[in-house]
Amino acid sequence: MHITQLNRECLLHLFSFLDKNSRKSLAKTCHKLLEVFQDPLLWSLLNFHSPVELKKDNFLLGPALKYLSICWYSERVKVCNIEDWMKNSFQKDFCNRHENTVSDFLLDVCNRCPNLLSLTLSGCGHVTDDCILQLLKNCPNLKTLKLENCVRITDQTLEAVTLYGASLQTLHVDFCRNVTQAGLERVREKRPSVMLRAERSANMIPDSKPEKKSMLEKASRKLVQL
């Protein structure tokens, strides 16, 4: 039996075992397989391993998406984690190439994937509080939000969880250095049913603007002189 003789249900099942590139390649062989590739039911789960993958045309976004993961484990993530005012020209140029890639993609998810249940972001150093706020507003069924090593995430995201995370059951903010203990306590107070985890976050040194750093340095010098 030729593969195209299988019914739609069987073809969807077969496609589900393939990665995004393989699905796209198979879809190019005939119209029937292209239709399977374009079936929203095939795209309930998406995993990405770098911002570059978000720009490819080997997947579809739609209301069937339930589980989304963008996890970037690379030495390059360290560059994105450097405070903006401390980056040299080479590091700034590197970040400029993908600075808005993940955020723009998530905004697209906000508009096209209202039934999202789970979002995992790791190493996404340019994702901001505003982006997570919009996602919480537009995806009211979100049950799981896991953020790891996302340095621009602050207590504003935690506040957004208390306001718009009515369906949220699990919240992780691991290694997010600009999250504070006060913000975590507010989530525990306002959303006691949420399973909250914040490994190392509130114990890490938060970012501070250059003027704040200089004031602290001056204060410390005065104390030394005294």
Side-chain angles (χ1 to χ4, degrees), residues 27-38:
K28 292 179 180 179
T29 60
C30 70
H31 289 294
K32 184 173 183 179
L33 296 181
L34 176 61
E35 290 177 359
V36 176
F37 176 84
Q38 295 173 339

Side-chain angles (χ1 to χ4, degrees), residues 54-55 61 70 98-112 126-128 131:
L54 301 175
K55 296 183 177 182
L61 280 182
I70 306 173
H98 64 266
E99 184 172 7
N100 298 316
T101 301
V102 177
S103 295
D104 289 346
F105 180 82
L106 290 177
L107 291 177
D108 203 13
V109 170
C110 289
N111 295 325
R112 301 170 63 179
H126 298 291
V127 171
T128 64
C131 191

Side-chain angles (χ1 to χ4, degrees), residues 6-200:
L6 297 173
N7 61 34
R8 186 63 162 263
E9 185 177 355
C10 288
L11 289 173
L12 282 170
H13 185 65
L14 288 175
F15 264 74
S16 69
F17 290 98
L18 303 176
D19 59 31
K20 295 187 290 294
N21 285 332
S22 298
R23 291 177 183 181
K24 181 68 175 181
S25 297
L26 192 56
K28 292 179 180 179
T29 60
C30 70
H31 289 294
K32 184 173 183 179
L33 296 181
L34 176 61
E35 290 177 359
V36 176
F37 176 84
Q38 295 173 339
D39 193 319
L41 295 177
L42 184 63
W43 304 101
S44 62
L45 182 151
L46 282 172
N47 294 317
F48 300 94
H49 303 289
S50 78
V52 174
E53 293 184 15
L54 301 175
K55 296 183 177 182
K56 296 183 178 180
D57 63 347
N58 58 1
F59 63 90
L60 294 180
L61 280 182
L65 182 63
K66 301 291 182 63
Y67 307 95
L68 173 61
S69 172
I70 306 173
C71 297
W72 193 22
Y73 302 113
S74 168
E75 287 295 315
R76 298 177 182 180
V77 173
K78 294 180 181 179
V79 177
C80 300
N81 288 347
I82 298 173
E83 298 173 45
D84 289 340
W85 51 86
M86 295 180 64
K87 292 175 182 173
N88 58 39
S89 58
F90 173 79
Q91 293 165 334
K92 289 179 179 178
D93 179 64
F94 171 78
C95 287
N96 285 339
R97 298 175 190 175
H98 64 266
E99 184 172 7
N100 298 316
T101 301
V102 177
S103 295
D104 289 346
F105 180 82
L106 290 177
L107 291 177
D108 203 13
V109 170
C110 289
N111 295 325
R112 301 170 63 179
C113 311
N115 300 312
L116 189 68
L117 297 178
S118 175
L119 173 65
T120 298
L121 300 177
S122 181
C124 299
H126 298 291
V127 171
T128 64
D129 295 315
D130 288 340
C131 191
I132 301 299
L133 169 63
Q134 291 301 318
L135 191 132
L136 287 168
K137 284 183 175 181
N138 288 275
C139 303
N141 300 318
L142 192 69
K143 297 182 182 300
T144 300
L145 177 60
K146 296 181 179 180
L147 306 173
E148 179 186 57
N149 201 15
C150 297
V151 296
R152 295 196 182 188
I153 296 301
T154 71
D155 287 357
Q156 291 183 36
T157 286
L158 301 182
E159 183 65 22
V161 166
T162 66
L163 295 174
Y164 305 106
S167 300
L168 209 62
Q169 298 175 356
T170 300
L171 173 64
H172 292 179
V173 282
D174 298 332
F175 297 92
C176 297
R177 66 176 181 244
N178 290 302
V179 166
T180 70
Q181 191 63 44
L184 296 172
E185 291 300 331
R186 182 165 176 78
V187 173
R188 291 189 178 100
E189 176 188 352
K190 297 294 184 179
R191 298 285 180 191
S193 62
V194 172
M195 294 180 61
L196 176 62
R197 191 181 81 181
E199 185 176 349
R200 296 284 299 278

